[in-house]
Each structure stands twice: as structure tokens, then as C-alpha cells.
Amino acid sequence: DRLKLVASTETCFAAPASGIPAQEAEIRAGLSSQTNPIAPKVPTEDTGNKTFDLGRPETQNDFRVCYCASVLSCENSNNFGGSAGLAMIRGARSDVVHVCRRSKECTVQVRGWRLRATDRLKIVAEGGSCADPPSFGFSSNPANAVPDGLTCDETGRDCTVTFTVGRAILATSSVGCEDPLDCGYVLCYCTTGSCETSEVYTHTAGTLQVTEALRSIREDPSFKLTTFALGVIVESAYPGGTIFCVAKDHP
């Protein structure tokens, strides 16, 4: 017997959906790209129950599970005529860059598919992975969702969960960073409801950049230097604010 996952809006005669590791592996193995049949995890003579390992899905969505009985070749899309239900793969979007200000309370709004108020968010140091422990610098890490912090569309599928991770102590750097998703703290997401160990934070929810108010202060060479005044150029991450300059009688 074999399984095939297609988009939930498609029939079982449609092409296999992308983002399912087990199906992608079948393509790499040179098998039919029309079906990408997934075999049972452990062959068994039990005709009542079979386990299929999909791998770690890379896409959050609902998929129709299509079934092909072993009496067929399972190499043609028409062989998958039976629907075995829906696979609802929920989780956070990983393509979002969140920004907070250093020394300010930091709120992160995570968007994803079928999120819940019991989900948790863990912040990991720059360059780390979700298997790493929580990073220093946040008073609530891992963080629970704030009360009434879950909002979803009318279908209950496209959702946003709000987390407050406390005051951000350490800023991140974007020097030499070409892709914003490669810079900053790694946000890791847990959907199990019991998120006490690092292993259950299975995927990322984007990155978190903590910025300084002042990025640089340097002399303005276009300003005529006199005994009483000099020009400076200030690069700020935020509009407004006041800069105070203090004169010193030594270098």
C-alpha cells in the first residue's frame, strides 16, 4: 500500500504536494513524480493499521491524504482513488523578520497555520539552531502567548499569536548580512502544548533583530570647523529624539 499527499482543495488524481520530505525523497530516488508514493514505515501483515512517516514537513497547510491499495502499481495518479482523510500540518511562518528596540519591552507577533494559544516561542542566539537552549537577554524566554493573544480568520486556519518576551538587553548586528533572515536571534516554535524540552521546538518562526537607537556618530567633513562648533552626522534607527553633546578639555 502507498500514500500520496495533495493540496486539500485538489482531488486524489492531482499531482503530489511539495514540502513533504517523504514525497521529495521519492523524486530524488528517481521514482514517479506523478505520485511520489510513500511506503509504510514498517512493513506489516496487519491490514487494519499501517504507519507512514512523512518526515518533517516544510509547509504549514492542510493536505488531502490519498491511498493506493497494494493490488495496484501505485505508479499512476489514477491508482490513488481513495481518500484517507486530511493531514493538518500546523505551525509558524519562517519567512518573517521581527524587530524590537534594545532596552525596550519586546513583543513578537507570530503568524502561521492553525496556531493555538498554548503554543510557545523560544529565542536562540544568533547562528544557533532550535535544539539550542534559550538565549540570554530576555526576561521571558521561552515565552507563553499573552492573554487573548490568539487571533484567526473566519476559517480558524490563518492565525496570529502574540508573545511578550520582556526587555531586550542585547542588540544584534546586521554588518555583512545580505539576507535579513540570516541575521538576528533565531525564533523557534513549539506546537505540542507541552514545551519543556528543546526537542519539541521543531521549526523556526523567522528571526528577531534587536536594534540600537543610535547606529553611528561621526564628524561631518562638510561642516566648517570653528572654535565654537563642529558638525556631526548621526544615524538613528528611529525618527525623532534628542542628542546631547558634552565638551571635554582633553582628547
Side-chain angles (χ1 to χ4, degrees):
D1 298 349
R2 295 291 187 269
L3 283 188
K4 177 182 71 169
L5 271 66
V6 301
S8 61
T9 55
E10 301 282 358
T11 69
C12 281
F13 302 128
S18 60
I20 307 299
Q23 294 191 152
E24 310 259 337
E26 300 299 332
I27 292 179
R28 292 193 295 270
L31 299 181
S32 171
S33 60
Q34 289 186 327
T35 61
N36 305 2
I38 303 172
K41 183 177 181 181
V42 179
T44 175
E45 297 300 323
D46 183 359
T47 59
N49 297 282
K50 286 184 171 60
T51 300
F52 294 82
D53 187 354
L54 305 181
R56 287 197 172 189
E58 302 166 359
T59 302
Q60 297 81 42
N61 213 325
D62 292 349
F63 299 92
R64 186 180 304 281
V65 181
C66 302
Y67 199 80
C68 173
S70 58
V71 294
L72 302 174
S73 68
C74 302
E75 296 180 355
N76 187 297
S77 291
N78 293 330
N79 296 152
F80 289 80
S83 177
L86 287 177
M88 296 182 290
I89 301 173
R90 68 184 195 90
R93 288 181 52 177
S94 59
D95 58 348
V96 181
V97 178
H98 306 268
V99 179
C100 286
R101 297 172 63 171
R102 189 177 73 85
S103 298
K104 299 293 184 180
E105 290 294 322
C106 181
T107 298
V108 178
Q109 291 187 316
V110 176
R111 186 177 176 184
W113 192 255
R114 295 186 181 275
L115 304 183
R116 296 176 183 169
T118 55
D119 297 345
R120 298 191 78 189
L121 182 72
K122 180 177 71 171
I123 304 174
V124 174
E126 293 184 78
S129 72
C130 287
D132 294 337
S135 174
F136 167 79
F138 302 90
S139 57
S140 298
N141 187 22
N144 295 314
V146 302
D148 301 320
L150 173 67
T151 58
C152 298
D153 64 4
E154 62 277 5
T155 69
R157 299 173 181 174
D158 190 358
C159 302
T160 299
V161 182
T162 301
F163 298 89
T164 298
V165 298
R167 192 181 300 272
I169 297 176
L170 301 176
T172 56
S173 174
S174 59
V175 176
C177 183
E178 296 181 0
D179 186 346
L181 286 171
D182 294 333
C183 304
Y185 294 98
V186 180
L187 298 180
C188 299
Y189 207 76
C190 170
T191 59
T192 64
S194 177
C195 305
E196 302 302 323
T197 60
S198 294
E199 295 76 28
V200 294
Y201 289 84
T202 57
H203 64 286
T204 64
T207 59
L208 172 63
Q209 296 182 0
V210 178
T211 61
E212 294 275 10
L214 294 182
R215 291 175 173 164
S216 69
I217 299 178
R218 63 186 187 275
E219 181 182 348
D220 183 359
S222 65
F223 189 90
K224 184 177 180 181
L225 180 63
T226 69
T227 306
F228 307 101
L230 78 158
V232 294
I233 298 176
V234 178
E235 292 187 12
S236 173
Y238 314 105
T242 303
I243 304 296
F244 293 95
C245 297
V246 179
K248 302 171 74 173
D249 58 3
H250 58 276

